[in-house]
Amino acid sequence: MITTQKIGKLLILLLVLGGLASCNDDQETAPFEVTGEAIMIKRLLNDQVMYARTFFAYGNQPMSAGQVTLPEGGTLPLIPSDDNKRTWQNTPTIADFSTTLPEVGMFDFTVTNEDIEHIVSDVLVFNDLGFPTIDSLGNNGGIVQVEWQEVAAAEGYLVRMVDENYESVFIGQLLNTNYTTYQIASDSGVWSKAPVAGETYMVEVHAFVFEEGATNQNYLYNADEIAIASRDIVW
């Protein structure tokens, strides 16, 4: 099991929202390398268990094109997550989730760097990770306290809050499995917009499983599955 430490910054922010942190800037002169990542997301929507896959390609230099080939056949385009074009992605919207479990297996990522195509593969395994049952959720003067039950086999947790359009409002740090409580407050995590009094927001608790063989040094690029539970709260 990975003993992930509580860390700040965006971390897995864009793993779910679209675009994870790219490789280090000082690798620009190193030989081009790319890592492909396929991740299964499982969540409860309207009391139904629903699934979607998300895909990332992380390069140590900018890329000009990318796609992922699916085990069931066909391809999906990857788009750059930001201006540096070192992370390319294909991430689901709420409408993309389905009650049907998508195919797992081998995914081939094809990216282009300096007019040269590179192909890497990633194997996605479905672990059927349990949901983090939310025991309590409350707002006390703009400080939201959320508590959840430990999830067997989970290797990390993360809390975030989204608005009615499913746009990110807040995202917390990646927590190790010793944590089953978290506060959303002005001095914790990363805020992308200010909440509005009287508005309803969705607070999510994410449980993570990382790929077999992932280490404390590379787990960020080796997530395998995310299980998400959520509840609404009025600000």
Side-chain angles (χ1 to χ4, degrees):
M1 178 177 289
I2 301 167
T3 57
T4 54
Q5 300 298 311
K6 181 179 179 182
I7 57 179
K9 300 288 186 179
L10 297 181
L11 200 64
I12 303 242
L13 166 61
L14 302 180
L15 178 70
V16 180
L17 307 183
L20 194 146
S22 56
C23 298
N24 296 334
D25 290 340
D26 60 6
Q27 295 180 346
E28 185 74 38
T29 59
F32 177 72
E33 295 180 354
V34 61
T35 299
E37 186 71 15
I39 303 168
M40 184 72 73
I41 305 175
K42 181 177 91 170
R43 66 176 304 144
L44 282 172
L45 289 172
N46 300 320
D47 296 323
Q48 288 187 304
V49 179
M50 305 189 78
Y51 308 90
R53 299 173 302 196
T54 186
F55 305 100
F56 299 90
Y58 320 113
N60 63 339
Q61 298 175 19
M63 295 171 280
S64 58
Q67 68 175 24
V68 56
T69 301
L70 308 176
E72 66 268 27
T75 62
L76 289 175
L78 302 176
I79 63 173
S81 66
D82 51 35
D83 291 340
N84 70 30
K85 296 187 177 181
R86 295 186 184 185
T87 298
W88 287 58
Q89 65 189 32
N90 185 295
T91 55
T93 66
I94 285 293
D96 294 321
F97 282 81
S98 168
T99 55
T100 301
L101 181 67
E103 290 283 339
V104 297
M106 181 77 74
F107 295 81
D108 293 327
F109 294 79
T110 303
V111 301
T112 303
N113 166 259
E114 296 184 349
D115 298 324
I116 299 174
E117 282 194 351
H118 302 260
I119 300 176
V120 294
S121 298
D122 186 47
V123 176
L124 176 60
V125 177
F126 180 60
N127 303 282
D128 202 13
L129 180 65
F131 290 108
T133 300
I134 298 175
D135 287 329
S136 65
L137 178 67
N139 183 357
N140 183 10
I143 298 177
V144 175
Q145 178 88 14
V146 56
E147 298 183 8
W148 62 91
Q149 296 179 18
E150 182 179 355
V151 178
E155 296 178 308
Y157 301 106
L158 181 142
V159 174
R160 76 166 177 148
M161 186 168 70
V162 298
D163 63 17
E164 62 180 2
N165 298 316
Y166 206 64
E167 294 180 354
S168 178
V169 175
F170 170 89
I171 185 156
Q173 298 91 340
L174 180 67
L175 307 171
N176 66 33
T177 53
N178 293 327
Y179 291 84
T180 55
T181 183
Y182 189 79
Q183 281 191 347
I184 299 175
S186 60
D187 58 353
S188 65
V190 176
W191 291 86
S192 55
K193 62 177 70 175
V196 178
E199 292 291 325
T200 299
Y201 297 91
M202 181 188 295
V203 174
E204 300 178 331
V205 179
H206 300 213
F208 292 87
V209 166
F210 300 97
E211 293 180 8
E212 184 177 354
T215 68
N216 285 328
Q217 287 70 45
N218 67 15
Y219 69 90
L220 182 59
Y221 301 98
N222 287 280
D224 212 19
E225 187 175 333
I226 306 169
I228 303 173
S230 62
R231 282 175 55 179
D232 290 344
I233 192 167
V234 177
W235 197 260

